[in-house]
Amino acid sequence: MKMNRVLIGVAAAIVSCATLVAPAVTATAHADSCPDVQVVFARGTGEPVGIGRVGDAFVDELRSRVPDKSVDVYAVNYPATRDFLRAADGANDASLFVQNIATTCPDTSIVLGGYSQGAAVIDALALAQTPTLGFTRPLPAGVADHVAAVAVFGNPSIRLLGGPLTTLSPAYGGKTIDLCNGADPVCSNGNDVAAHSLYVQSGMATQAAQFVADRLATTAPVTTLAGRTG
């Protein structure tokens, strides 16, 4: 099935691309309160624990665009090594966290994000409807109503499945921005390896943050898993 090809093929898509990394500073969701916005972000291959350079830039830009909202961040817990099938670990971890937020903080707007291998983690959440290849916790259909926006960068699904999440995911496509930097070989048929490490410099973290801010401004919160949002 499609997600099998994503989780297997992510290895071939990413293995030739060296991810440049920098230390990440990550906040976690508050146990005693519900934020207005909960970002759930999966870092790229080889980045230190946290949300990575792209995630940090994206969150910084988003916070500057929604100064009236509290924004918490959850760093998806997974190895992010070159054992790319372990992306399923990240999908399982993210799924549990997202389901918990949707249940305990129903008015919180959830934002999903990921870079490179981390984008494949988000692909699993958005595309897999049944357990597949180590991903054992697909999101219930109603959780999509709590997700205000999705932002992925250098996403292998674009090349491996022939399209971005915007067209592949009925539940999440309309609320997704799926960015590929030029001829980045992870998400295109190009061969500009350096492009895979330049999502911050290219301005795409800023572009994604504006997209998400616009979604947050127009998407009403839901209060139950059965509720509907725009």
Side-chain angles (χ1 to χ4, degrees), residues 1-46:
M1 59 189 304
K2 285 184 176 181
M3 276 313 305
N4 284 12
R5 298 203 303 274
V6 169
L7 293 175
I8 293 173
V10 69
I14 300 174
V15 71
S16 63
C17 298
T19 303
L20 301 180
V21 300
V25 177
T26 304
T28 56
H30 300 153
D32 57 350
S33 64
C34 292
D36 297 320
V37 181
Q38 177 66 64
V39 176
V40 178
F41 200 95
R43 71 195 190 281
T45 306

Side-chain angles (χ1 to χ4, degrees), residues 4 21 25 38 59 79 114 116 132 138 159 173 176 184 203 208 217 221 229:
N4 284 12
V21 300
V25 177
Q38 177 66 64
V59 170
S116 191
T132 178
R159 185 170 70 81
T176 295
D184 176 357
T229 61

Side-chain angles (χ1 to χ4, degrees), residues 35-40 58-73 101 105-112 144-151 174-177 206-222 229-230:
D36 297 320
V37 181
Q38 177 66 64
V39 176
V40 178
F58 166 68
V59 170
D60 286 347
E61 293 286 352
L62 177 60
R63 282 182 168 139
S64 72
R65 285 163 171 74
V66 290
D68 58 331
K69 297 181 184 294
S70 58
V71 179
D72 280 3
V73 181
I101 288 293
C105 296
D107 291 329
T108 292
S109 296
I110 300 171
V111 175
L112 304 179
D145 299 322
H146 294 259
V147 176
V150 180
K175 58 185 74 176
T176 295
I177 185 168
T206 301
Q207 181 182 348
Q210 186 61 60
F211 171 86
V212 172
D214 291 343
R215 287 281 310 172
L216 291 171
T218 58
T219 302
V222 297
T229 61

